[in-house]
Amino acid sequence: MGFILKRLINSIFLSFGIAIVVFLLLRILPSVSFSDIYLNPRLSEEMIRRIKSAYGLDEPISIQFLNWLKEIITGNLGFSFIYRKPVINCIMESLSSTLTIGIPALVFSFGVGILIGIQSARNRGKLIDRITTSSLLVLYSIPSFWLGIILILLFSYTFRLFPPSGLHSFNFNELNFFEKIFDLLRHIFLPALTLGTPPMAAIARFTRNTMLKVLSQTYIKTAIAKGLDQKTIFYRHILPNALLPVITLFWALSSNFLCRFNSD
């Protein structure tokens, strides 16, 4: 419990530090002015001054940061000058697509990656291990956009198994509950597979290396020397210790994984 609390406190300070750096960089680095990017060039200087004053952009940087931090804590993420609406609305509009495709892709990448990594480690040095390792390297190196095009050409236009685009069919509202679930699964299969395949390969290799590291530990050799059953050694000693770094990796990558998809 103390370890979790310590990591939580460290995360808070780290997030606060990142917020300060990003906020200052956006205002210190030389760039095009606010009025040139967001405002109509026909506006008068007086009108631009009033708009900046309304949003507190004429205040000192320190005051701007404190005001921004206060609004963030209270849940006000501000107004988007690009989309002309509150930022929270922009996030909520894309959140459903992010969760619908990002979570299945995340589950696929870790679920399949862990299973492949475990089997590869258990068959270390065999032909199947060499084939698996080489295949994972290829899958990890494939760009997602290229993999997506290949999957669309293969499964959408050649075999016509999955739709090439969209999150649901045109008659989605006319379907019953189970037909809607099936229709949604058909539409998100290819995007989730495309998004989850490269991370799956990386996670499989990471799991394999972790398993091999655990297998070389002294307590595993001692358990083997005592004559313990292989299943007991694997499920009680090897697997729990090998999955600890993988679980840590899951929490570290899950937010980045979903945020990257959301930005794409």
Side-chain angles (χ1 to χ4, degrees), residues 20-31 61:
I20 293 176
V21 172
V22 173
F23 186 89
L24 293 179
L25 286 178
L26 290 176
R27 284 157 175 77
I28 295 177
L29 291 179
S31 60
I61 293 181

Side-chain angles (χ1 to χ4, degrees), residues 124-172:
R124 177 182 53 178
K126 298 181 180 179
L127 178 60
I128 185 65
D129 178 40
R130 293 195 291 269
I131 294 175
T132 302
T133 303
S134 301
S135 301
L136 291 175
L137 181 60
V138 173
L139 291 175
Y140 179 73
S141 304
I142 294 178
S144 296
F145 68 89
W146 186 84
L147 178 61
I149 294 174
I150 297 300
L151 292 178
I152 290 174
L153 292 176
L154 183 62
F155 291 103
S156 297
Y157 294 105
T158 302
F159 298 107
R160 299 185 181 277
L161 297 176
F162 301 99
S165 62
L167 283 177
H168 51 75
S169 302
F170 292 106
N171 62 336
F172 183 78

Side-chain angles (χ1 to χ4, degrees), residues 9-56:
I9 295 175
N10 290 339
S11 300
I12 294 174
F13 281 104
L14 180 61
S15 301
F16 183 74
I18 293 175
I20 293 176
V21 172
V22 173
F23 186 89
L24 293 179
L25 286 178
L26 290 176
R27 284 157 175 77
I28 295 177
L29 291 179
S31 60
V32 183
S33 66
F34 168 82
S35 57
D36 292 335
I37 297 177
Y38 301 113
L39 301 182
N40 192 321
R42 298 180 180 178
L43 292 177
S44 64
E45 292 293 332
E46 178 64 21
M47 182 61 66
I48 293 177
R49 187 188 65 79
R50 290 182 180 181
I51 294 176
K52 289 184 176 182
S53 177
Y55 289 100

Side-chain angles (χ1 to χ4, degrees), residues 225-237:
K226 288 182 178 180
L228 294 179
D229 182 72
Q230 290 187 356
K231 290 185 178 180
T232 302
I233 295 175
F234 179 77
Y235 287 107
R236 289 189 179 181
H237 300 285

Side-chain angles (χ1 to χ4, degrees), residues 117-118 121 202-217 219 238-247 249:
I118 291 174
I203 293 164
R205 290 178 60 88
F206 180 77
T207 304
R208 178 184 181 274
N209 295 335
T210 305
M211 289 281 295
L212 295 179
K213 185 177 181 180
V214 172
L215 285 170
S216 64
Q217 297 298 317
Y219 63 89
I238 298 177
L239 191 59
N241 291 284
L243 290 183
L244 283 176
V246 180
I247 295 174
L249 179 66

